[in-house]
Amino acid sequence: MNEDLVTLISELKQKEAIEITEQRLKSGEDPLKILADGKKAMQIVGQRFSEGRYFIPDLVYSGKILEQVAERVKPGLAQVSDDRKIGKIVLGTVAGDLHDIGKNLVTFMLDVNGFAVYDLGIDVKPQVFVDKIKEIQPRVVGMSGFLTSVYQAMKDTVDAISAAGLRNDVKIMIGGGVMDEEVRKFAGADAYGQDAMAAVNLAKDWIGGA
């Protein structure tokens, strides 16, 4: 097959993307390389969305393709992953944002690395984060956002966690297409993760599962 996985996912070619994924796995390729190509493809999709070439349905469909790719590589990742100390992590896309592609990939990578992940979904209001933290007492909280309009929502969520007296009990990471170190400072989070593996490494550092 002449087209690589990055092109196939970014061009929304589901069947071909799954076929080449299975071929690469059968050839013994490192599953992490396949996921890395998935990330590159999603960056292209995101760029096309920002340029007005792709729309919300395209974002959703590309995410579904990536989920199917991830499900196929997950057994291989589970086999190559070292035993990790299990820790609880709460994740969610903050209020006002309906994107879950990046969050789902982070959830997936944390899961295969041995963490107990509680995914709150999308458009998660600050109080929902607070209630879940009280319920399960995680060590780490992750907030995802794809839109510049949700910077304030991230800050509001961190503020709500602080107001509930829980801020000293958790480490907070943020991530997403438009998130960076400046947003981290504004929101009051502890760290910014550029991708799913960065989130895994932060969780290992904070929980002690490295």
Side-chain angles (χ1 to χ4, degrees):
M1 188 176 295
N2 294 327
E3 295 177 287
D4 62 18
L5 187 60
V6 176
T7 301
L8 292 171
I9 295 177
S10 61
E11 294 290 341
L12 309 179
K13 296 181 179 179
Q14 179 183 27
K15 180 180 177 181
E16 294 89 339
I18 299 305
E19 288 176 352
I20 199 170
T21 296
E22 292 176 345
Q23 289 174 11
R24 290 172 65 173
L25 287 171
K26 287 179 182 178
S27 71
E29 187 169 350
D30 184 351
L32 287 175
K33 291 183 179 179
I34 298 175
L35 279 184
D37 281 349
K39 178 197 169 191
K40 291 177 184 176
M42 298 313 300
Q43 290 173 335
I44 294 172
V45 171
Q47 181 63 31
R48 290 176 181 173
F49 175 76
S50 67
E51 293 170 351
R53 298 167 58 191
Y54 277 0
F55 302 94
I56 293 295
D58 301 310
L59 279 178
V60 173
Y61 188 55
S62 62
K64 296 300 181 184
I65 297 174
L66 184 59
E67 286 177 5
Q68 292 181 37
V69 169
E71 280 302 312
R72 282 163 174 78
V73 305
K74 185 174 181 178
L77 281 173
Q79 292 167 9
V80 300
S81 296
D82 296 329
D83 291 336
R84 307 298 190 202
K85 177 182 176 182
I86 300 299
K88 297 176 182 178
I89 300 175
V90 168
L91 289 177
T93 300
V94 295
D97 198 326
L98 303 178
H99 295 91
D100 64 0
I101 296 170
K103 173 186 63 62
N104 289 348
L105 184 55
V106 171
T107 298
F108 169 76
M109 290 302 295
L110 288 169
D111 176 58
V112 299
N113 277 275
F115 296 98
V117 186
Y118 298 81
D119 188 342
L120 301 179
I122 58 176
D123 193 21
V124 183
K125 293 178 173 53
Q127 189 59 44
V128 176
F129 275 100
V130 170
D131 292 343
K132 198 66 178 180
I133 293 169
K134 289 179 178 179
E135 177 190 347
I136 71 164
Q137 300 179 348
R139 295 280 301 281
V140 177
V141 175
M143 300 178 193
S144 176
F146 194 82
L147 306 171
T148 57
S149 59
V150 299
Y151 293 163
Q152 185 63 47
M154 286 195 165
K155 184 177 188 303
D156 291 344
T157 303
V158 175
D159 289 346
I161 293 171
S162 297
L166 302 169
R167 185 65 181 89
N168 292 334
D169 299 330
V170 297
K171 289 287 190 178
I172 300 175
M173 66 172 82
I174 67 169
V178 293
M179 303 302 152
D180 57 23
E181 187 64 17
E182 290 303 312
V183 182
R184 180 201 69 77
K185 294 177 183 177
F186 172 76
D190 294 296
Y192 154 69
Q194 187 173 11
D195 54 34
M197 282 311 301
V200 170
N201 291 331
L202 284 169
K204 289 178 184 175
D205 289 343
W206 289 339
I207 294 178

